[in-house]
Amino acid sequence: MLKIRLNPTGVANKPFYRIVVIDERKKLGGKALDILGYWQPAKDVLEVNHEKIKAWQKKGARVSPAVSKLIGKL
């Protein structure tokens, strides 16, 4: 099953997360099918492509609870 979730990147004490579509059985650092946006909590920057999220949801991807909270902030 496909899942829209956060993929952690960045370095220590400077977190950076990509919002990606990935098979839920893959590791956190696994190869993503598509990148839908990013979140940088240190600078409180959030950029999301809502059109891509809706398109992937129509294809059967489910949104993780963390991503749904982030999208709800917009």
Side-chain angles (χ1 to χ4, degrees):
M1 173 174 309
L2 297 175
K3 194 162 238 187
I4 298 172
R5 68 179 187 199
L6 295 173
N7 189 6
T9 60
V11 295
N13 300 320
K14 292 184 182 179
F16 185 86
Y17 300 92
R18 288 187 178 132
I19 301 170
V20 299
V21 178
I22 193 167
D23 187 2
E24 70 179 353
R25 296 172 289 186
K26 299 271 184 175
K27 296 182 196 177
L28 285 178
K31 184 168 172 119
L33 298 172
D34 196 4
I35 298 174
L36 308 176
Y38 63 89
W39 177 46
Q40 193 171 10
K43 295 183 180 180
D44 199 29
V45 176
L46 175 64
E47 188 168 318
V48 180
N49 189 335
H50 292 285
E51 295 170 3
K52 281 188 174 183
I53 289 178
K54 289 178 185 176
W56 277 104
Q57 282 179 324
K58 287 181 183 177
K59 294 178 185 176
R62 296 199 179 170
V63 181
S64 73
V67 174
S68 63
K69 283 183 186 178
L70 285 174
I71 293 172
K73 284 185 179 180
L74 298 175

Short mmCIF file of all heavy atoms in Angstrom, two decimals:
data_model
loop_
_atom_site.label_atom_id
_atom_site.label_comp_id
_atom_site.label_asym_id
_atom_site.label_seq_id
_atom_site.Cartn_x
_atom_site.Cartn_y
_atom_site.Cartn_z
N MET A 1 0.83 -1.18 0.00
CA MET A 1 0.00 0.00 0.00
C MET A 1 0.88 1.25 0.00
O MET A 1 1.92 1.29 0.64
CB MET A 1 -0.89 -0.01 1.25
CG MET A 1 -1.65 1.28 1.39
SD MET A 1 -2.85 1.35 2.71
CE MET A 1 -3.78 -0.10 2.45
N LEU A 2 0.44 2.25 -0.69
CA LEU A 2 1.17 3.51 -0.77
C LEU A 2 0.79 4.40 0.40
O LEU A 2 -0.35 4.42 0.85
CB LEU A 2 0.85 4.23 -2.07
CG LEU A 2 1.27 3.52 -3.34
CD1 LEU A 2 0.79 4.30 -4.54
CD2 LEU A 2 2.76 3.34 -3.39
N LYS A 3 1.77 5.15 0.87
CA LYS A 3 1.55 6.03 2.01
C LYS A 3 2.23 7.37 1.76
O LYS A 3 3.33 7.43 1.22
CB LYS A 3 2.11 5.39 3.27
CG LYS A 3 1.65 6.06 4.54
CD LYS A 3 1.87 5.16 5.69
CE LYS A 3 0.53 4.96 6.34
NZ LYS A 3 0.62 4.23 7.57
N ILE A 4 1.56 8.45 2.15
CA ILE A 4 2.14 9.79 2.09
C ILE A 4 2.65 10.07 3.50
O ILE A 4 1.88 10.14 4.45
CB ILE A 4 1.09 10.83 1.66
CG1 ILE A 4 0.59 10.51 0.26
CG2 ILE A 4 1.68 12.23 1.72
CD1 ILE A 4 -0.58 11.35 -0.19
N ARG A 5 3.97 10.19 3.63
CA ARG A 5 4.56 10.35 4.96
C ARG A 5 5.78 11.27 4.90
O ARG A 5 6.22 11.68 3.83
CB ARG A 5 4.93 9.01 5.56
CG ARG A 5 6.07 8.32 4.86
CD ARG A 5 6.38 7.00 5.52
NE ARG A 5 7.59 6.44 4.94
CZ ARG A 5 7.93 5.17 5.02
NH1 ARG A 5 7.15 4.33 5.67
NH2 ARG A 5 9.03 4.73 4.49
N LEU A 6 6.34 11.54 6.08
CA LEU A 6 7.54 12.36 6.19
C LEU A 6 8.77 11.49 6.02
O LEU A 6 8.86 10.40 6.57
CB LEU A 6 7.59 13.05 7.55
CG LEU A 6 6.49 14.07 7.84
CD1 LEU A 6 6.59 14.53 9.28
CD2 LEU A 6 6.56 15.23 6.89
N ASN A 7 9.74 11.99 5.26
CA ASN A 7 11.00 11.30 5.05
C ASN A 7 12.10 12.20 5.64
O ASN A 7 12.39 13.26 5.10
CB ASN A 7 11.23 11.07 3.56
CG ASN A 7 12.41 10.19 3.29
OD1 ASN A 7 13.00 9.65 4.20
ND2 ASN A 7 12.75 10.04 2.03
N PRO A 8 12.70 11.80 6.76
CA PRO A 8 13.68 12.67 7.42
C PRO A 8 15.00 12.76 6.65
O PRO A 8 15.53 11.77 6.19
CB PRO A 8 13.89 12.01 8.78
CG PRO A 8 13.55 10.58 8.58
CD PRO A 8 12.50 10.55 7.50
N THR A 9 15.47 13.98 6.51
CA THR A 9 16.79 14.25 5.95
C THR A 9 17.42 15.33 6.81
O THR A 9 16.90 15.67 7.85
CB THR A 9 16.70 14.71 4.47
OG1 THR A 9 15.92 15.90 4.42
CG2 THR A 9 16.07 13.66 3.59
N GLY A 10 18.51 15.89 6.38
CA GLY A 10 19.15 16.95 7.16
C GLY A 10 20.24 16.40 8.06
O GLY A 10 20.63 15.23 7.96
N VAL A 11 20.74 17.24 8.94
CA VAL A 11 21.82 16.88 9.85
C VAL A 11 21.36 17.06 11.29
O VAL A 11 20.26 17.54 11.55
CB VAL A 11 23.07 17.75 9.57
CG1 VAL A 11 23.63 17.48 8.20
CG2 VAL A 11 22.76 19.22 9.72
N ALA A 12 22.22 16.69 12.22
CA ALA A 12 21.88 16.78 13.63
C ALA A 12 21.54 18.22 14.02
O ALA A 12 22.21 19.17 13.61
CB ALA A 12 23.04 16.29 14.48
N ASN A 13 20.48 18.37 14.79
CA ASN A 13 20.00 19.66 15.29
C ASN A 13 19.48 20.59 14.20
O ASN A 13 19.21 21.76 14.46
CB ASN A 13 21.06 20.37 16.12
CG ASN A 13 21.48 19.56 17.32
OD1 ASN A 13 20.63 18.94 17.97
ND2 ASN A 13 22.76 19.52 17.60
N LYS A 14 19.38 20.12 12.95
CA LYS A 14 18.79 20.90 11.85
C LYS A 14 17.88 19.97 11.05
O LYS A 14 18.21 19.57 9.93
CB LYS A 14 19.88 21.48 10.96
CG LYS A 14 20.70 22.55 11.61
CD LYS A 14 21.68 23.15 10.65
CE LYS A 14 22.54 24.19 11.35
NZ LYS A 14 23.53 24.77 10.45
N PRO A 15 16.74 19.61 11.61
CA PRO A 15 15.88 18.65 10.93
C PRO A 15 15.25 19.22 9.66
O PRO A 15 14.96 20.42 9.58
CB PRO A 15 14.81 18.33 11.97
CG PRO A 15 14.79 19.51 12.86
CD PRO A 15 16.18 20.05 12.88
N PHE A 16 15.06 18.36 8.68
CA PHE A 16 14.42 18.70 7.42
C PHE A 16 13.67 17.47 6.96
O PHE A 16 14.22 16.36 6.97
CB PHE A 16 15.49 19.09 6.38
CG PHE A 16 14.92 19.57 5.09
CD1 PHE A 16 14.57 20.90 4.93
CD2 PHE A 16 14.73 18.70 4.02
CE1 PHE A 16 14.05 21.36 3.73
CE2 PHE A 16 14.22 19.14 2.83
CZ PHE A 16 13.87 20.48 2.68
N TYR A 17 12.42 17.63 6.62
CA TYR A 17 11.60 16.50 6.22
C TYR A 17 11.02 16.73 4.84
O TYR A 17 10.53 17.83 4.56
CB TYR A 17 10.44 16.30 7.21
CG TYR A 17 10.87 16.03 8.62
CD1 TYR A 17 11.02 17.06 9.54
CD2 TYR A 17 11.12 14.73 9.04
CE1 TYR A 17 11.42 16.82 10.83
CE2 TYR A 17 11.52 14.48 10.35
CZ TYR A 17 11.66 15.52 11.23
OH TYR A 17 12.05 15.27 12.52
N ARG A 18 11.04 15.70 4.02
CA ARG A 18 10.35 15.73 2.74
C ARG A 18 9.01 15.02 2.92
O ARG A 18 8.93 14.01 3.61
CB ARG A 18 11.15 15.02 1.67
CG ARG A 18 12.36 15.78 1.24
CD ARG A 18 13.02 15.09 0.06
NE ARG A 18 14.15 15.87 -0.36
CZ ARG A 18 15.34 15.37 -0.60
NH1 ARG A 18 15.56 14.08 -0.48
NH2 ARG A 18 16.33 16.16 -0.99
N ILE A 19 7.99 15.53 2.28
CA ILE A 19 6.70 14.85 2.25
C ILE A 19 6.68 14.03 0.97
O ILE A 19 6.75 14.59 -0.13
CB ILE A 19 5.55 15.87 2.30
CG1 ILE A 19 5.67 16.71 3.56
CG2 ILE A 19 4.20 15.16 2.22
CD1 ILE A 19 4.75 17.90 3.62
N VAL A 20 6.64 12.70 1.12
CA VAL A 20 6.83 11.81 -0.03
C VAL A 20 5.72 10.77 -0.11
O VAL A 20 5.02 10.50 0.86
CB VAL A 20 8.19 11.08 0.06
CG1 VAL A 20 9.34 12.06 0.04
CG2 VAL A 20 8.27 10.20 1.28
N VAL A 21 5.61 10.17 -1.30
CA VAL A 21 4.77 8.99 -1.50
C VAL A 21 5.72 7.81 -1.61
O VAL A 21 6.67 7.84 -2.39
CB VAL A 21 3.95 9.10 -2.80
CG1 VAL A 21 3.14 7.84 -3.02
CG2 VAL A 21 3.07 10.32 -2.78
N ILE A 22 5.46 6.79 -0.79
CA ILE A 22 6.36 5.65 -0.73
C ILE A 22 5.56 4.40 -0.34
O ILE A 22 4.49 4.52 0.28
CB ILE A 22 7.51 5.92 0.28
CG1 ILE A 22 8.64 4.93 0.16
CG2 ILE A 22 6.98 6.00 1.68
CD1 ILE A 22 9.90 5.33 0.91
N ASP A 23 6.05 3.25 -0.71
CA ASP A 23 5.44 2.00 -0.26
C ASP A 23 5.65 1.91 1.24
O ASP A 23 6.76 2.13 1.73
CB ASP A 23 6.08 0.82 -0.98
CG ASP A 23 5.38 -0.50 -0.70
OD1 ASP A 23 4.36 -0.49 0.03
OD2 ASP A 23 5.85 -1.53 -1.21
N GLU A 24 4.59 1.60 1.99
CA GLU A 24 4.70 1.63 3.45
C GLU A 24 5.66 0.59 4.02
O GLU A 24 6.09 0.71 5.16
CB GLU A 24 3.32 1.47 4.09
CG GLU A 24 2.71 0.11 3.96
CD GLU A 24 1.36 0.01 4.65
OE1 GLU A 24 0.97 0.96 5.33
OE2 GLU A 24 0.71 -1.02 4.50
N ARG A 25 6.05 -0.39 3.24
CA ARG A 25 6.99 -1.41 3.72
C ARG A 25 8.45 -0.98 3.59
O ARG A 25 9.34 -1.63 4.12
CB ARG A 25 6.78 -2.71 2.95
CG ARG A 25 5.40 -3.30 3.18
CD ARG A 25 5.16 -4.44 2.26
NE ARG A 25 5.01 -3.90 0.90
CZ ARG A 25 4.68 -4.60 -0.16
NH1 ARG A 25 4.47 -5.89 -0.05
NH2 ARG A 25 4.55 -4.04 -1.34
N LYS A 26 8.71 0.14 2.93
CA LYS A 26 10.08 0.63 2.76
C LYS A 26 10.57 1.31 4.03
O LYS A 26 9.80 1.78 4.85
CB LYS A 26 10.15 1.64 1.60
CG LYS A 26 9.76 1.09 0.27
CD LYS A 26 10.93 0.51 -0.41
CE LYS A 26 10.49 0.05 -1.81
NZ LYS A 26 11.56 -0.41 -2.60
N LYS A 27 11.90 1.42 4.15
CA LYS A 27 12.51 2.12 5.27
C LYS A 27 12.23 3.61 5.18
O LYS A 27 11.83 4.12 4.12
CB LYS A 27 14.02 1.91 5.26
CG LYS A 27 14.47 0.50 5.45
CD LYS A 27 15.98 0.49 5.46
CE LYS A 27 16.52 -0.90 5.26
NZ LYS A 27 17.97 -0.90 5.20
N LEU A 28 12.52 4.33 6.27
CA LEU A 28 12.33 5.78 6.27
C LEU A 28 13.20 6.47 5.22
O LEU A 28 12.80 7.45 4.63
CB LEU A 28 12.63 6.36 7.64
CG LEU A 28 11.57 6.12 8.71
CD1 LEU A 28 12.03 6.71 10.03
CD2 LEU A 28 10.26 6.71 8.30
N GLY A 29 14.38 5.97 4.99
CA GLY A 29 15.28 6.58 4.00
C GLY A 29 15.16 5.96 2.63
O GLY A 29 15.98 6.21 1.76
N GLY A 30 14.12 5.17 2.39
CA GLY A 30 13.96 4.48 1.12
C GLY A 30 13.64 5.42 -0.03
O GLY A 30 13.30 6.58 0.16
N LYS A 31 13.74 4.88 -1.25
CA LYS A 31 13.49 5.69 -2.44
C LYS A 31 12.00 5.99 -2.57
O LYS A 31 11.17 5.09 -2.55
CB LYS A 31 13.99 4.96 -3.67
CG LYS A 31 13.85 5.79 -4.92
CD LYS A 31 14.60 5.20 -6.08
CE LYS A 31 14.24 5.97 -7.33
NZ LYS A 31 15.36 6.58 -7.92
N ALA A 32 11.69 7.25 -2.73
CA ALA A 32 10.30 7.69 -2.82
C ALA A 32 9.81 7.65 -4.26
O ALA A 32 10.60 7.81 -5.20
CB ALA A 32 10.18 9.11 -2.28
N LEU A 33 8.51 7.45 -4.44
CA LEU A 33 7.92 7.48 -5.76
C LEU A 33 7.76 8.91 -6.25
O LEU A 33 7.90 9.18 -7.44
CB LEU A 33 6.55 6.78 -5.74
CG LEU A 33 6.56 5.30 -5.37
CD1 LEU A 33 5.15 4.80 -5.20
CD2 LEU A 33 7.30 4.51 -6.43
N ASP A 34 7.43 9.82 -5.34
CA ASP A 34 7.23 11.22 -5.70
C ASP A 34 7.45 12.08 -4.46
O ASP A 34 7.11 11.67 -3.35
CB ASP A 34 5.83 11.42 -6.25
CG ASP A 34 5.65 12.72 -7.01
OD1 ASP A 34 6.65 13.45 -7.19
OD2 ASP A 34 4.51 13.01 -7.42
N ILE A 35 7.98 13.28 -4.66
CA ILE A 35 8.16 14.24 -3.57
C ILE A 35 7.05 15.28 -3.69
O ILE A 35 6.90 15.93 -4.73
CB ILE A 35 9.55 14.91 -3.64
CG1 ILE A 35 10.63 13.84 -3.47
CG2 ILE A 35 9.68 15.99 -2.58
CD1 ILE A 35 12.04 14.34 -3.67
N LEU A 36 6.28 15.44 -2.63
CA LEU A 36 5.11 16.31 -2.65
C LEU A 36 5.32 17.64 -1.94
O LEU A 36 4.48 18.53 -2.05
CB LEU A 36 3.92 15.59 -2.00
CG LEU A 36 3.63 14.19 -2.54
CD1 LEU A 36 2.51 13.56 -1.74
CD2 LEU A 36 3.29 14.23 -4.00
N GLY A 37 6.40 17.77 -1.22
CA GLY A 37 6.67 19.01 -0.51
C GLY A 37 7.75 18.80 0.53
O GLY A 37 8.42 17.77 0.55
N TYR A 38 7.92 19.80 1.40
CA TYR A 38 8.91 19.69 2.46
C TYR A 38 8.48 20.49 3.68
O TYR A 38 7.61 21.36 3.60
CB TYR A 38 10.29 20.14 1.98
CG TYR A 38 10.38 21.59 1.59
CD1 TYR A 38 10.69 22.56 2.53
CD2 TYR A 38 10.18 22.00 0.28
CE1 TYR A 38 10.78 23.90 2.18
CE2 TYR A 38 10.27 23.32 -0.08
CZ TYR A 38 10.57 24.27 0.88
OH TYR A 38 10.64 25.60 0.53
N TRP A 39 9.11 20.17 4.82
CA TRP A 39 8.86 20.86 6.07
C TRP A 39 10.17 21.04 6.79
O TRP A 39 10.93 20.10 6.98
CB TRP A 39 7.90 20.04 6.93
CG TRP A 39 7.63 20.62 8.28
CD1 TRP A 39 7.33 21.91 8.58
CD2 TRP A 39 7.60 19.91 9.50
NE1 TRP A 39 7.13 22.06 9.92
CE2 TRP A 39 7.28 20.83 10.53
CE3 TRP A 39 7.81 18.58 9.84
CZ2 TRP A 39 7.18 20.46 11.85
CZ3 TRP A 39 7.70 18.22 11.17
CH2 TRP A 39 7.39 19.15 12.16
N GLN A 40 10.45 22.28 7.18
CA GLN A 40 11.66 22.61 7.92
C GLN A 40 11.24 23.23 9.24
O GLN A 40 10.96 24.43 9.31
CB GLN A 40 12.54 23.56 7.11
CG GLN A 40 13.93 23.72 7.64
CD GLN A 40 14.80 24.51 6.67
OE1 GLN A 40 14.32 25.08 5.71
NE2 GLN A 40 16.07 24.54 6.96
N PRO A 41 11.14 22.42 10.31
CA PRO A 41 10.59 22.92 11.57
C PRO A 41 11.43 24.01 12.23
O PRO A 41 10.88 24.86 12.93
CB PRO A 41 10.49 21.69 12.46
CG PRO A 41 11.32 20.65 11.83
CD PRO A 41 11.47 21.00 10.39
N ALA A 42 12.73 24.01 12.04
CA ALA A 42 13.58 25.02 12.68
C ALA A 42 13.24 26.43 12.19
O ALA A 42 13.25 27.39 12.97
CB ALA A 42 15.05 24.71 12.41
N LYS A 43 12.92 26.55 10.92
CA LYS A 43 12.55 27.86 10.35
C LYS A 43 11.05 28.00 10.17
O LYS A 43 10.58 29.02 9.67
CB LYS A 43 13.24 28.04 9.00
CG LYS A 43 14.74 28.12 9.10
CD LYS A 43 15.36 28.38 7.76
CE LYS A 43 16.87 28.47 7.88
NZ LYS A 43 17.51 28.71 6.58
N ASP A 44 10.29 26.99 10.58
CA ASP A 44 8.84 26.95 10.46
C ASP A 44 8.40 27.20 9.00
O ASP A 44 7.53 28.01 8.73
CB ASP A 44 8.19 27.97 11.40
CG ASP A 44 6.72 27.64 11.64
OD1 ASP A 44 6.38 26.45 11.58
OD2 ASP A 44 5.94 28.58 11.87
N VAL A 45 9.04 26.48 8.09
CA VAL A 45 8.74 26.57 6.66
C VAL A 45 8.04 25.28 6.23
O VAL A 45 8.53 24.18 6.49
CB VAL A 45 10.03 26.76 5.83
CG1 VAL A 45 9.73 26.76 4.35
CG2 VAL A 45 10.73 28.04 6.24
N LEU A 46 6.90 25.43 5.58
CA LEU A 46 6.14 24.29 5.09
C LEU A 46 5.67 24.60 3.68
O LEU A 46 5.01 25.63 3.45
CB LEU A 46 4.94 24.00 5.99
CG LEU A 46 3.98 22.91 5.54
CD1 LEU A 46 4.68 21.56 5.53
CD2 LEU A 46 2.76 22.89 6.43
N GLU A 47 6.04 23.74 2.74
CA GLU A 47 5.59 23.91 1.36
C GLU A 47 5.03 22.57 0.89
O GLU A 47 5.71 21.54 0.95
CB GLU A 47 6.73 24.34 0.46
CG GLU A 47 6.25 24.69 -0.93
CD GLU A 47 7.31 25.39 -1.75
OE1 GLU A 47 8.00 26.25 -1.20
OE2 GLU A 47 7.42 25.04 -2.93
N VAL A 48 3.77 22.60 0.44
CA VAL A 48 3.07 21.39 0.05
C VAL A 48 2.38 21.60 -1.28
O VAL A 48 1.78 22.66 -1.50
CB VAL A 48 2.01 21.00 1.12
CG1 VAL A 48 1.29 19.74 0.73
CG2 VAL A 48 2.64 20.84 2.48
N ASN A 49 2.44 20.60 -2.15
CA ASN A 49 1.73 20.63 -3.42
C ASN A 49 0.42 19.86 -3.23
O ASN A 49 0.39 18.64 -3.30
CB ASN A 49 2.57 20.01 -4.53
CG ASN A 49 1.97 20.20 -5.89
OD1 ASN A 49 0.78 20.38 -6.03
ND2 ASN A 49 2.82 20.15 -6.90
N HIS A 50 -0.67 20.60 -2.98
CA HIS A 50 -1.96 19.98 -2.68
C HIS A 50 -2.53 19.21 -3.86
O HIS A 50 -3.21 18.19 -3.67
CB HIS A 50 -2.96 21.04 -2.21
CG HIS A 50 -2.62 21.63 -0.90
ND1 HIS A 50 -2.80 20.97 0.28
CD2 HIS A 50 -2.07 22.83 -0.57
CE1 HIS A 50 -2.42 21.73 1.29
NE2 HIS A 50 -1.95 22.87 0.80
N GLU A 51 -2.25 19.67 -5.07
CA GLU A 51 -2.76 18.98 -6.26
C GLU A 51 -2.18 17.57 -6.37
O GLU A 51 -2.89 16.61 -6.67
CB GLU A 51 -2.44 19.78 -7.51
CG GLU A 51 -3.14 21.11 -7.56
CD GLU A 51 -2.63 22.00 -8.70
OE1 GLU A 51 -1.78 21.54 -9.48
OE2 GLU A 51 -3.11 23.14 -8.78
N LYS A 52 -0.87 17.46 -6.11
CA LYS A 52 -0.23 16.14 -6.16
C LYS A 52 -0.75 15.22 -5.06
O LYS A 52 -0.94 14.03 -5.28
CB LYS A 52 1.28 16.27 -6.02
CG LYS A 52 1.99 16.67 -7.28
CD LYS A 52 3.49 16.59 -7.07
CE LYS A 52 4.26 16.85 -8.33
NZ LYS A 52 5.72 16.69 -8.11
N ILE A 53 -1.00 15.78 -3.87
CA ILE A 53 -1.52 14.97 -2.77
C ILE A 53 -2.89 14.41 -3.14
O ILE A 53 -3.16 13.22 -2.96
CB ILE A 53 -1.58 15.77 -1.46
CG1 ILE A 53 -0.16 16.00 -0.94
CG2 ILE A 53 -2.41 15.05 -0.40
CD1 ILE A 53 -0.07 16.81 0.32
N LYS A 54 -3.76 15.26 -3.68
CA LYS A 54 -5.09 14.79 -4.08
C LYS A 54 -5.00 13.73 -5.18
O LYS A 54 -5.75 12.75 -5.17
CB LYS A 54 -5.94 15.97 -4.54
CG LYS A 54 -6.35 16.88 -3.41
CD LYS A 54 -7.14 18.05 -3.89
CE LYS A 54 -7.44 19.00 -2.74
NZ LYS A 54 -8.14 20.21 -3.18
N ALA A 55 -4.09 13.93 -6.12
CA ALA A 55 -3.92 12.96 -7.21
C ALA A 55 -3.48 11.60 -6.66
O ALA A 55 -3.99 10.56 -7.08
CB ALA A 55 -2.93 13.48 -8.23
N TRP A 56 -2.53 11.60 -5.73
CA TRP A 56 -2.05 10.34 -5.16
C TRP A 56 -3.12 9.70 -4.27
O TRP A 56 -3.22 8.47 -4.21
CB TRP A 56 -0.76 10.54 -4.39
CG TRP A 56 0.44 10.55 -5.28
CD1 TRP A 56 1.16 11.63 -5.68
CD2 TRP A 56 1.04 9.42 -5.90
NE1 TRP A 56 2.17 11.24 -6.51
CE2 TRP A 56 2.13 9.89 -6.67
CE3 TRP A 56 0.79 8.06 -5.88
CZ2 TRP A 56 2.95 9.05 -7.41
CZ3 TRP A 56 1.60 7.21 -6.63
CH2 TRP A 56 2.67 7.71 -7.38
N GLN A 57 -3.94 10.49 -3.61
CA GLN A 57 -5.01 9.93 -2.80
C GLN A 57 -6.04 9.23 -3.70
O GLN A 57 -6.59 8.21 -3.33
CB GLN A 57 -5.70 11.01 -1.97
CG GLN A 57 -4.90 11.40 -0.75
CD GLN A 57 -5.58 12.48 0.05
OE1 GLN A 57 -6.21 13.38 -0.49
NE2 GLN A 57 -5.43 12.40 1.36
N LYS A 58 -6.28 9.79 -4.88
CA LYS A 58 -7.19 9.14 -5.83
C LYS A 58 -6.64 7.81 -6.31
O LYS A 58 -7.39 6.90 -6.64
CB LYS A 58 -7.46 10.04 -7.02
CG LYS A 58 -8.35 11.21 -6.70
CD LYS A 58 -8.60 12.08 -7.91
CE LYS A 58 -9.43 13.28 -7.55
NZ LYS A 58 -9.64 14.18 -8.70
N LYS A 59 -5.32 7.68 -6.33
CA LYS A 59 -4.67 6.44 -6.73
C LYS A 59 -4.60 5.43 -5.58
O LYS A 59 -4.11 4.32 -5.77
CB LYS A 59 -3.26 6.71 -7.25
CG LYS A 59 -3.23 7.51 -8.53
CD LYS A 59 -1.81 7.80 -8.96
CE LYS A 59 -1.78 8.71 -10.17
NZ LYS A 59 -0.41 9.06 -10.54
N GLY A 60 -5.04 5.81 -4.38
CA GLY A 60 -5.09 4.89 -3.27
C GLY A 60 -4.08 5.12 -2.16
O GLY A 60 -4.01 4.35 -1.22
N ALA A 61 -3.30 6.19 -2.24
CA ALA A 61 -2.32 6.47 -1.19
C ALA A 61 -3.03 7.01 0.05
O ALA A 61 -3.99 7.76 -0.07
CB ALA A 61 -1.29 7.48 -1.69
N ARG A 62 -2.54 6.62 1.21
CA ARG A 62 -3.12 7.10 2.47
C ARG A 62 -2.15 8.07 3.13
O ARG A 62 -0.95 7.89 3.08
CB ARG A 62 -3.38 5.93 3.39
CG ARG A 62 -4.42 5.00 2.82
CD ARG A 62 -5.01 4.14 3.86
NE ARG A 62 -6.01 3.28 3.24
CZ ARG A 62 -6.58 2.28 3.84
NH1 ARG A 62 -6.23 1.99 5.07
NH2 ARG A 62 -7.48 1.58 3.23
N VAL A 63 -2.72 9.07 3.77
CA VAL A 63 -1.92 10.11 4.43
C VAL A 63 -1.64 9.68 5.87
O VAL A 63 -2.55 9.26 6.58
CB VAL A 63 -2.66 11.46 4.39
CG1 VAL A 63 -1.83 12.54 5.04
CG2 VAL A 63 -3.00 11.84 2.97
N SER A 64 -0.37 9.82 6.29
CA SER A 64 -0.01 9.49 7.67
C SER A 64 -0.57 10.56 8.62
O SER A 64 -0.86 11.69 8.21
CB SER A 64 1.50 9.41 7.82
OG SER A 64 2.06 10.71 7.77
N PRO A 65 -0.73 10.22 9.89
CA PRO A 65 -1.25 11.20 10.86
C PRO A 65 -0.39 12.47 10.97
O PRO A 65 -0.91 13.56 11.11
CB PRO A 65 -1.25 10.43 12.18
CG PRO A 65 -1.32 9.00 11.80
CD PRO A 65 -0.57 8.89 10.49
N ALA A 66 0.93 12.31 10.90
CA ALA A 66 1.82 13.48 11.01
C ALA A 66 1.61 14.44 9.84
O ALA A 66 1.55 15.65 10.02
CB ALA A 66 3.27 13.03 11.08
N VAL A 67 1.50 13.89 8.64
CA VAL A 67 1.30 14.74 7.47
C VAL A 67 -0.08 15.39 7.50
O VAL A 67 -0.23 16.56 7.15
CB VAL A 67 1.51 13.94 6.17
CG1 VAL A 67 1.16 14.77 4.95
CG2 VAL A 67 2.95 13.46 6.07
N SER A 68 -1.08 14.68 7.97
CA SER A 68 -2.42 15.27 8.01
C SER A 68 -2.46 16.44 9.01
O SER A 68 -3.16 17.43 8.77
CB SER A 68 -3.47 14.22 8.36
OG SER A 68 -3.26 13.71 9.64
N LYS A 69 -1.70 16.35 10.11
CA LYS A 69 -1.62 17.48 11.04
C LYS A 69 -0.93 18.67 10.38
O LYS A 69 -1.36 19.81 10.56
CB LYS A 69 -0.83 17.07 12.29
CG LYS A 69 -1.60 16.23 13.25
CD LYS A 69 -0.75 15.94 14.47
CE LYS A 69 -1.46 14.99 15.40
NZ LYS A 69 -0.61 14.66 16.59
N LEU A 70 0.13 18.42 9.63
CA LEU A 70 0.83 19.51 8.95
C LEU A 70 -0.07 20.18 7.91
O LEU A 70 -0.09 21.39 7.80
CB LEU A 70 2.10 19.00 8.27
CG LEU A 70 3.27 18.70 9.18
CD1 LEU A 70 4.39 18.07 8.39
CD2 LEU A 70 3.75 19.96 9.86
N ILE A 71 -0.78 19.38 7.15
CA ILE A 71 -1.66 19.94 6.12
C ILE A 71 -2.80 20.73 6.78
O ILE A 71 -3.23 21.74 6.25
CB ILE A 71 -2.22 18.81 5.23
CG1 ILE A 71 -1.08 18.19 4.42
CG2 ILE A 71 -3.28 19.33 4.30
CD1 ILE A 71 -1.47 16.95 3.67
N GLY A 72 -3.24 20.29 7.93
CA GLY A 72 -4.29 20.99 8.66
C GLY A 72 -3.87 22.37 9.14
O GLY A 72 -4.71 23.25 9.35
N LYS A 73 -2.56 22.59 9.32
CA LYS A 73 -2.07 23.91 9.76
C LYS A 73 -2.26 24.97 8.68
O LYS A 73 -2.31 26.15 8.97
CB LYS A 73 -0.57 23.83 10.10
CG LYS A 73 -0.27 23.17 11.41
CD LYS A 73 1.20 23.26 11.70
CE LYS A 73 1.56 22.65 13.02
NZ LYS A 73 2.99 22.75 13.29
N LEU A 74 -2.28 24.54 7.41
CA LEU A 74 -2.42 25.50 6.31
C LEU A 74 -3.83 25.96 6.29
O LEU A 74 -4.49 26.65 6.05
CB LEU A 74 -2.04 24.85 4.99
CG LEU A 74 -0.60 24.38 4.88
CD1 LEU A 74 -0.38 23.65 3.58
CD2 LEU A 74 0.35 25.55 4.98
#
